[in-house]
C-alpha cells in the first residue's frame, strides 16, 4: 500500500481548502483512512500533527500576503481563520518571532512552512532505510479488565502522558481491583475509543478469565479481537516505546506490504522482567489486514 501517496492526497486536500473550515474526517477521507489512523500516520511521517501543519501553512501564507499585498492585517487574520487581529498577532509572533505589522515593514524574512512533498521524501527514505520485518502472529481474543485514561494525539501529548498513566495505575494499587487474572505480571496498555479530534482512551489493565460481572468505578471490560498482528519488541530505556511507535508508523508501515487493520493496537509490559526507567521489556502489537 502506498501510504505516502495517500497522505500526499490529504495534503493536497488541505492546500485546496486552506482558507475554508476543515475537519479531520474530511481530510482523512481524502486519503481513504479512518480519522484516528490518519492522524497517527500523518504525525509519524511528517513530524506534524494535522492541526499544527494547517496552522503553520495558514500563517506562512499570511506572511506572504503581508509582504506581497496591501491587504489589511485584520482581513488577513480573518482569512487565516483567526477571530480577531489580536489572536492572529499572538499566533504569528509565537511562530515567527515578530508581529505582523513589524514584519510587513521590516526588510527581513522568516522561515515559512512550505507544502510538504512526501513523494520526494519517499525517494530519499528508500535510499536510507533498511525496513526491519516484525514477527507476525495470530492471536485469539484476549479479555482485559483495566482502568481508563484519556489522552490526545495532538502535539504528541500521549507520549508524555501514557508513562504517567502506568505510574498512577501502580501507585494507586488499581491492579489489586482486578480479579481472575490469567497473567498477573503482564500489564496491558490498549489504545481505543478513537475520536475524530485526536482524543482516545488508553486502558491500563491485565488479561482475565472470561468475564461477565460488575466493575469498580473507572474500570472497563474490553476484548482485544482475534486476528493477525505485527509484533515488535521495544526493549530498552525510557522512551523506547515512543521511538518504536514512531518507527512503526513513520517508517515500517509505509514501507511494508501490510495494511493496518481497524481496531486497537496494544502493548504488553513484562512487569517482573522490567526495571524502570533503564531496562524495559515491552512488546507492541499492531493489527494487520489479511
Amino acid at each position: 500500500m502506498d501510504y505516502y501517496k495517500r497522505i500526499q492526497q490529504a495534503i493536497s486536500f488541505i492546500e485546496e481548502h486552506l482558507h475554508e473550515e476543515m475537519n479531520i474526517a474530511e481530510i482523512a477521507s481524502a486519503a481513504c483512512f479512518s480519522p484516528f489512523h490518519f492522524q497517527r500516520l500523518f504525525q509519524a511521517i511528517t513530524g506534524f500533527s494535522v492541526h499544527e501543519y494547517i496552522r503553520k501553512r495558514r500563517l506562512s501564507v499570511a506572511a506572504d500576503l503581508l509582504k506581497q499585498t496591501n491587504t489589511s492585517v485584520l482581513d488577513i487574520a480573518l482569512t487565516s481563520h483567526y477571530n480577531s487581529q489580536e489572536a492572529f498577532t499572538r499566533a504569528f509572533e509565537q511562530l515567527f518571532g515578530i508581529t505582523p505589522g513589524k514584519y510587513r515593514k521590516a526588510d527581513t524574512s522568516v522561515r515559512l512552512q512550505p507544502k510538504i512533498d512526501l513523494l520526494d521524501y519517499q525517494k530519499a527514505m528508500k535510499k536510507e532505510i533498511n525496513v526491519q520485518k516484525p514477527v507476525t502472529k495470530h492471536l485469539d481474543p484476549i479479555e482485559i479488565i483495566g482502568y481508563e485514561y484519556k489522552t490526545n494525539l495532538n502535539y504528541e501529548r500521549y507520549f508524555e502522558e501514557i508513562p504517567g498513566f502506568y505510574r498512577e495505575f501502580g501507585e494507586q494499587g488499581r491492579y489489586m481491583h482486578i480479579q481472575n487474572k490469567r497473567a498477573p505480571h503482564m500489564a496491558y496498555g490498549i489504545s481505543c475509543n478513537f475520536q475524530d479530534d485526536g482524543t482516545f482512551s488508553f486502558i491500563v489493565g491485565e488479561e482475565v478469565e472470561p468475564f461477565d460481572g460488575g466493575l469498580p468505578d473507572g474500570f472497563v471490560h474490553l476484548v482485544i479481537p482475534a486476528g493477525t498482528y505485527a509484533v515488535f519488541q521495544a526493549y530498552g530505556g525510557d522512551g523506547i516505546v515512543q521511538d518504536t511507535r514512531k518507527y512503526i508508523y513513520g517508517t515500517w508501515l509505509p514501507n511494508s506490504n501490510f495494511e493496518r487493520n481497524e481496531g486497537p493496537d496494544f502493548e504488553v509490559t513484562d512487569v517482573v522482567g522490567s526495571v524502570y526507567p533503564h531496562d524495559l521489556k515491552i512488546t507492541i502489537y499492531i493489527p494487520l489486514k489479511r
Side-chain angles (χ1 to χ4, degrees), residues 141 143 179-184 206-210:
E143 298 213 26
Q179 305 297 318
N180 302 318
K181 301 178 183 181
R182 299 191 71 175
E206 299 186 48
E207 183 181 2
V208 296
E209 299 291 345

Side-chain angles (χ1 to χ4, degrees), residues 3 34 38 62-63 68 88 96-97 162 234 246 252 261 278:
Y3 283 81
S34 68
F38 166 71
Q68 299 173 12
F88 171 70
F96 297 125
I162 286 176
K246 287 178 180 178
W252 176 76
N261 202 1
H278 306 296

Side-chain angles (χ1 to χ4, degrees), residues 121-157:
Y121 174 78
Q122 182 183 18
K123 292 174 185 176
M125 286 294 291
K126 284 184 176 179
K127 295 177 183 178
E128 296 173 5
I129 63 171
N130 179 21
V131 178
Q132 300 174 8
K133 293 183 179 179
V135 173
T136 56
K137 184 176 182 180
H138 178 81
L139 299 180
D140 293 328
I142 302 172
E143 298 213 26
I144 300 291
I145 299 294
Y147 194 79
E148 183 174 17
Y149 300 89
K150 295 289 186 179
T151 186
N152 198 296
L153 277 176
N154 292 322
Y155 304 104
E156 298 188 337
R157 208 176 86 192

